[in-house]
Amino acid sequence: MTNVYWRHLALLVALFFLLLGWTYGRWDLWGSDEGRYVQVARELLPRDNWLLLTVHDQPYTEKTPLPFWIFAGMLKLGGGEVNVWWLRLPSILLALAAVLATYAIGQRRFGPRAGLLAALMLMTAPLFVEQAPTARLDALLTGAVTLALAVWLLRPGWDRPLEAAAISWRRAALFWALVIAAFFTKGPPALLFILAAPAWEALRLRSARPWRSIRPLPGLMASFGTVGAWLWSQRLLAGEEFVETQVARATFGRLLNVEHLEGPFYYLKGLAGEVFMPWTLLLIPALFVLWRNRKAKGADRTALRPIIGWIIIPLLVLHLALGKRQHYLLPLVPALALLTGWYCDRFFLAVQSRPLAARLFASLLLLIGGAAVLAAGVGYERPDLFWDSRIFLLHHHAVIVACAGLTVIAAAIMLLKRKTSLAVVAALFLAAYAVHLAELAAVYPARNPERSSKMLAMQVEAALGPNRNEVAAVEKAASSRYHVYGDYRVLDVFEDAEEAIASGKLPDVLVLLADDYHELDDEIVQAGYGEAASTLADGDSLVVAWRPEIEPNEALASNGELHVGLMGDSGTGGLGEQRLVRRMVDLSRSRHLDAVFLLGDNIYDDLPYPAALERRVVEPLHPLLDQRVPFFGVLGNHDVRRKEYRHGEIYDPLFRMEGREYYRQVLTNGQYAVSFFVLNSETLGDDPLQLEWLAKALAADTSDYHVLLLHRPLLGTVEHGGSGKIERLLRPILDDGPHIDAIFSGHNHVYERLVDKAGIHHVTLGSGGKLSRGIEFPEDPRREAQESGQRVLGWLTLDDDGLSFHAYGAHGEQIDSFEIPPLDTPPLSTRGKRPAADRPS
């Protein structure tokens, strides 16, 4: 092999890993396919017999087993955890193999430059870049198909198809082994993609010699024998009906699936856009030249003939089939790249100057690059403008998008200066490469909080608690795409969901799509699912409903007294906050501090989440964290504004939110109990489920005291004031439900306590970190106390005398206090029914 060959291979490997090697695991599993395939693999791990595939313990008949054995092996290498870096690695390696095999075919048949161009076109084809970094089957199939055809297309004597003998037995064994591997990757379509090339060559030459060159008789016998043995094992394990379903539905049924029914030009539209752009601009003239020279003879014609068969026969079959999906075309993309690379090498690059075309294309690239740089600048300063389009650009993502835009602009400038055909191809490649790099490095990770199903799995596990491991999922909510990250068993409820829920025989945790939850709301409540929370999973809104645990959380109380600290807007990490924390430590020396609630705006920062957490929360709170004081989080506007903070906080063990943006925490001193209802005030107006949850949770609560915690105050007289919108939303619940004793909030960077007509204490504790010094409080008859000269912390005590509150300043003095005497009810220890707690401590 020449030095040029090795230089080209090194360049392709370097470009491939720069594009895909460091990006493919930066987002979670997305979509129904990745979730389902990995779930099937997960269920193989605890079993000794890997021949029978199952999903949620039900036989899985839709695919052949090889990919799931591979994924199960990757799971083992990853320690049994769902690690996307391990799970997507086989697809990445087979995609790289397809690129290198494409280069080898092009280099051998058309020359080094044509092979290099074909490999670069394959690497930057949109469908290839979309499918390669996934735990799906298409990249695996494409790799196996391309390798198998490379074994045959690179055989000795390929340029003399009517004279050359059959391939050697060693080469034939490798070829048919790859055919069988491709078959067991995605079924019979693999035979169509691989055998189309020799069949087309034999047809065009009117000779069986090209077909006989693959040694078809022993190869097909080995293939059918292997497939037959596998089907026989399935018949023994799962019965004849299973095999009939697998053959009829999973193979022929997919080709005739009217659910995927598309128009006759479906694939042609895809080729022009999301499959092969921007190389479609060169593929079209390549097809024209091929048709114009269809009767010509020569080395190129011989070299191209099987490549054309690789494209035409499968494309014709796919067009005639009813079931159509764009990713079915992926095994044809290497052939399209070879054809286009041949045209560029032989014809397009032979013309040295195309000034008009160059200027037009350069202008287009300037527009694309300028738009990317502009979008990155806007996203850096105002990322919220993109949220409505579900694009969550963080600062480092915006920088990457800007770099991609500048690369495209540089390619356009180069094209304007040189104006040669080679510059056109180079500019196309640089533009496509930069766009895909920005997509993989920035856009996909930025969309991950919305698309990931990991949040739902954590929400379900939080609702399950330590003693339950089975959930019921209603209809589409049972899809593995939602549960692949969960370590629990899913019971599918596909039919008669209303009757099944009403029976009361389902597990204690229920998962539904939001629309189904609202339709079945009455049945869900009557079945005892008293708590519910909503979350996003794979772009869909789902609801987790659960029956609460029976026992309260008694572990926090000590010596018959419960002490709870309160701080708001404490996320500065500054000296003032540290002084307030030391004051809380001093107070805890004489009375054991059992828990602390942080009332929102827990992090003020532009750092990435882990660094911001360490700097703004862990460092200033470490004196309390060292004492193992439990913290509970409330989301504020600064926490919600940045998606990475929002999702980081609700799942970080430090804040004990366990995936819930709103929740209830019951604490008790052994005699009395107090329920803390934590709300997300930032989404309260747009989330009716949160209001429904609060009303139901209050109605079902049996604690002696009820306290509401949220970031924005209902009542306030300074700075941001009170939130009239939130008060209007909550007032019917506060007036009609059980009595609320106190409402604690932050947001305004002062201390203020107001008492409304219903006797509810509205306490603003927003000076935990930030402080608005010397602010003037207007006259208000509802105000009982105020402080803007120093930072203030809150201290709740539950003892034999009931619930009391004290506000302490950072300098040591008591600022305010009030008491709420016990209600006229027997103490907790003499009542038969204990209050329900959401979770143990």
Side-chain angles (χ1 to χ4, degrees):
M1 295 183 182
T2 65
N3 290 334
V4 172
Y5 184 87
W6 291 112
R7 285 200 298 270
H8 285 175
L9 288 181
L11 175 64
L12 290 172
V13 171
L15 288 173
F16 183 89
F17 278 99
L18 180 61
L19 180 65
L20 287 162
W22 67 279
T23 58
Y24 73 90
R26 299 186 67 237
W27 61 93
D28 296 327
L29 300 174
W30 290 356
S32 57
D33 287 345
E34 282 198 302
R36 181 168 61 252
Y37 298 160
V38 174
Q39 180 63 32
V40 172
R42 290 181 70 192
E43 295 184 19
L44 287 176
L45 291 181
R47 300 206 305 261
D48 295 329
N49 184 354
W50 281 22
L51 288 175
L52 182 64
L53 306 179
T54 61
V55 58
H56 295 324
D57 298 325
Q58 300 299 314
Y60 182 64
T61 64
E62 296 184 8
K63 301 294 180 185
T64 43
L66 181 59
F68 307 103
W69 297 343
I70 295 174
F71 294 147
M74 292 296 104
L75 284 170
K76 277 197 168 184
L77 288 175
E81 299 294 327
V82 179
N83 185 314
V84 290
W85 292 99
W86 283 109
L87 288 166
R88 290 175 179 152
L89 182 60
S91 294
I92 290 294
L93 294 179
L94 266 295
L96 176 60
V99 171
L100 299 181
T102 299
Y103 170 74
I105 296 170
Q107 184 268 344
R108 183 74 175 274
R109 288 188 164 242
F110 309 120
R113 186 170 67 172
L116 180 62
L117 289 171
L120 293 175
M121 290 172 182
L122 173 62
M123 189 189 302
T124 51
L127 186 62
F128 182 85
V129 177
E130 173 192 318
Q131 295 297 321
T134 63
R136 298 178 64 180
L137 312 186
D138 300 282
L140 299 175
L141 175 64
T142 301
V145 167
T146 311
L147 288 172
L149 285 169
V151 170
W152 180 69
L153 291 170
L154 300 179
R155 70 194 186 279
W158 63 266
D159 53 344
R160 303 185 308 277
L162 292 176
E163 301 174 12
I167 58 178
S168 66
W169 283 107
R170 181 180 298 179
R171 188 179 288 265
L174 178 58
F175 174 81
W176 284 103
L178 288 167
V179 170
I180 294 171
F183 178 91
F184 279 98
T185 297
K186 208 170 181 181
L191 300 178
L192 173 69
F193 292 120
I194 296 175
L195 301 183
W200 179 264
E201 184 154 10
L203 179 65
R204 295 297 297 165
L205 292 174
R206 296 181 177 87
S207 170
R209 199 174 185 95
W211 176 254
R212 289 200 301 268
S213 70
I214 64 173
R215 298 187 184 271
L217 185 59
L220 289 173
M221 288 178 61
S223 300
F224 291 145
T226 307
V227 174
W230 171 64
L231 289 175
W232 181 259
S233 70
Q234 300 301 294
R235 180 178 180 273
L236 294 177
L237 292 170
E240 293 184 6
E241 184 179 353
F242 174 82
V243 176
E244 292 174 2
T245 302
Q246 195 165 53
V247 173
R249 178 183 172 187
T251 303
F252 300 104
R254 286 191 168 274
L255 295 176
L256 304 175
N257 188 355
V258 295
E259 292 182 4
H260 300 163
L261 184 61
E262 298 288 348
F265 301 107
Y266 172 73
Y267 286 121
L268 297 182
K269 292 188 299 182
L271 285 171
E274 60 266 34
V275 174
F276 203 54
M277 278 297 283
W279 307 115
T280 310
L281 301 174
L282 298 173
L283 175 63
I284 294 173
L287 294 173
F288 175 76
V289 168
L290 194 66
W291 175 258
R292 188 181 62 186
N293 299 331
R294 63 188 180 279
K295 295 183 180 180
K297 296 181 179 180
D300 278 1
R301 192 66 181 174
T302 301
L304 278 171
R305 191 182 298 113
I307 308 298
I308 297 169
W310 184 356
I311 298 170
I312 287 182
I313 294 179
L315 190 59
L316 179 62
V317 174
L318 291 175
H319 267 292
L320 293 176
L322 294 180
K324 294 181 174 67
R325 290 289 183 89
Q326 291 288 8
H327 57 258
Y328 294 169
L329 288 181
L330 188 60
L332 304 184
V333 177
L336 296 171
L338 285 166
L339 176 59
T340 311
W342 162 80
Y343 165 76
C344 284
D345 181 66
R346 294 292 193 272
F347 296 92
F348 189 75
L349 298 184
V351 180
Q352 293 302 313
S353 179
R354 296 176 181 273
L356 179 59
R359 279 195 292 269
L360 290 175
F361 186 66
S363 301
L364 178 61
L365 290 182
L366 284 173
L367 286 175
I368 295 174
V373 172
L374 179 62
V378 174
Y380 190 90
E381 294 296 330
R382 290 290 306 278
D384 54 296
L385 297 178
F386 292 88
W387 293 354
D388 290 339
S389 301
R390 295 184 175 183
I391 298 175
F392 306 117
L393 279 176
L394 303 179
H395 284 178
H396 56 288
H397 299 147
V399 171
I400 295 173
V401 172
C403 291
L406 292 173
T407 304
V408 174
I409 292 174
I413 295 173
M414 180 190 72
L415 184 57
L416 286 173
K417 286 186 175 181
R418 299 191 64 184
K419 302 177 183 177
T420 65
S421 300
L422 181 60
V424 172
V425 176
L428 279 173
F429 172 75
L430 287 175
Y433 193 89
V435 169
H436 291 314
L437 183 60
E439 182 180 46
L440 295 171
V443 177
Y444 282 9
R447 294 182 62 197
N448 193 56
E450 172 208 358
R451 294 293 307 275
S452 174
S453 61
K454 189 182 294 184
M455 295 173 286
L456 175 71
M458 296 179 71
Q459 173 70 70
V460 171
E461 290 178 345
L464 282 169
N467 303 318
R468 303 180 286 202
N469 194 47
E470 186 177 64
V471 304
V474 175
E475 296 183 354
K476 293 181 179 179
S479 173
S480 300
R481 67 196 299 178
Y482 304 127
H483 305 285
V484 65
Y485 282 99
D487 190 19
Y488 49 81
R489 183 174 178 270
V490 177
L491 174 65
D492 298 347
V493 183
F494 279 111
E495 297 180 359
D496 300 323
E498 184 175 346
E499 181 179 343
I501 293 171
S503 70
K505 298 179 180 180
L506 294 180
D508 290 334
V509 177
L510 193 64
V511 181
L512 315 88
L513 291 174
D515 292 342
D516 294 334
Y517 174 80
H518 292 297
E519 289 182 9
L520 300 170
D521 182 50
D522 293 338
E523 290 78 8
I524 291 171
V525 173
Q526 291 174 6
Y529 296 97
E531 308 284 355
S534 62
T535 189
L536 282 175
D538 206 23
D540 299 325
S541 179
L542 285 93
V543 176
V544 180
W546 66 95
R547 299 186 182 105
E549 294 280 2
I550 302 302
E551 293 299 319
N553 182 349
E554 298 181 357
L556 296 178
S558 60
N559 300 323
E561 294 184 355
L562 177 76
H563 297 281
V564 178
L566 298 157
M567 286 197 306
D569 299 70
S570 58
T572 62
L575 294 176
E577 179 186 349
Q578 295 173 28
R579 187 178 295 112
L580 199 64
V581 171
R582 288 197 297 271
R583 175 65 176 140
M584 194 173 287
V585 172
D586 292 340
L587 290 170
S588 67
R589 292 194 177 105
S590 59
R591 62 200 93 171
H592 183 269
L593 182 60
D594 299 293
V596 174
F597 283 90
L598 301 176
L599 300 175
D601 284 359
N602 307 312
I603 302 176
Y604 293 103
D605 215 328
D606 288 331
L607 293 173
Y609 176 72
L613 177 73
E614 180 70 23
R615 189 173 182 180
R616 303 307 191 197
V617 181
V618 175
E619 289 182 7
L621 296 181
H622 79 85
L624 296 173
L625 294 172
D626 291 345
Q627 295 181 10
R628 299 179 182 269
V629 176
F631 282 80
F632 297 92
V634 179
L635 290 179
N637 56 293
H638 283 274
D639 306 307
V640 171
R641 182 178 300 167
R642 292 192 61 169
K643 296 296 180 181
E644 59 176 332
Y645 289 3
R646 179 179 188 171
H647 293 291
E649 289 184 36
I650 65 176
Y651 291 115
D652 197 296
L654 189 151
F655 296 100
R656 285 176 169 78
M657 301 177 72
E658 297 179 354
R660 293 175 245 187
E661 297 186 358
Y662 48 92
Y663 59 94
R664 178 184 59 164
Q665 180 64 43
V666 180
L667 305 179
T668 177
N669 70 334
Q671 181 177 10
Y672 297 108
V674 54
S675 287
F676 294 87
F677 296 88
V678 176
L679 301 180
N680 180 0
S681 60
E682 302 309 302
T683 62
L684 198 62
D686 302 317
D687 186 3
L689 186 60
Q690 187 174 176
L691 293 170
E692 292 177 19
W693 167 83
L694 178 62
K696 293 175 183 177
L698 274 170
D701 191 82
T702 57
S703 297
D704 303 275
Y705 299 96
H706 305 95
V707 174
L708 210 59
L709 305 177
L710 71 169
H711 180 64
R712 294 181 184 267
L714 276 69
L715 301 180
T717 62
V718 294
E719 275 201 301
H720 306 296
S723 174
K725 179 180 179 180
I726 294 178
E727 184 181 14
R728 287 192 298 271
L729 291 170
L730 291 181
R731 184 54 64 184
I733 299 175
L734 301 180
D735 291 343
D736 298 337
H739 180 67
I740 297 292
D741 299 292
I743 300 176
F744 294 95
S745 58
H747 199 49
N748 299 331
H749 303 145
V750 297
Y751 175 78
E752 185 177 30
R753 177 166 67 92
L754 305 170
V755 180
D756 64 16
K757 294 180 180 179
I760 300 175
H761 295 267
H762 294 256
V763 181
T764 300
L765 284 160
S767 58
K770 287 193 173 183
L771 175 64
S772 298
R773 292 184 181 274
I775 198 168
E776 294 185 6
F777 290 85
E779 292 292 330
D780 194 309
R782 300 170 299 176
R783 186 183 301 110
E784 298 289 334
Q786 64 190 46
E787 174 61 45
S788 62
Q790 60 179 317
R791 291 171 177 81
V792 178
L793 64 88
W795 192 283
L796 273 173
T797 299
L798 184 65
D799 54 21
D800 295 345
D801 297 325
L803 185 68
S804 60
F805 171 79
H806 300 270
Y808 296 100
H811 302 316
E813 68 274 25
Q814 178 175 305
I815 304 297
D816 184 29
S817 66
F818 64 88
E819 295 182 0
I820 303 174
L823 301 175
D824 188 17
T825 56
L828 181 66
S829 57
T830 62
R831 280 183 277 157
K833 184 178 180 181
R834 292 176 176 272
D838 282 357
R839 66 176 79 85
S841 64

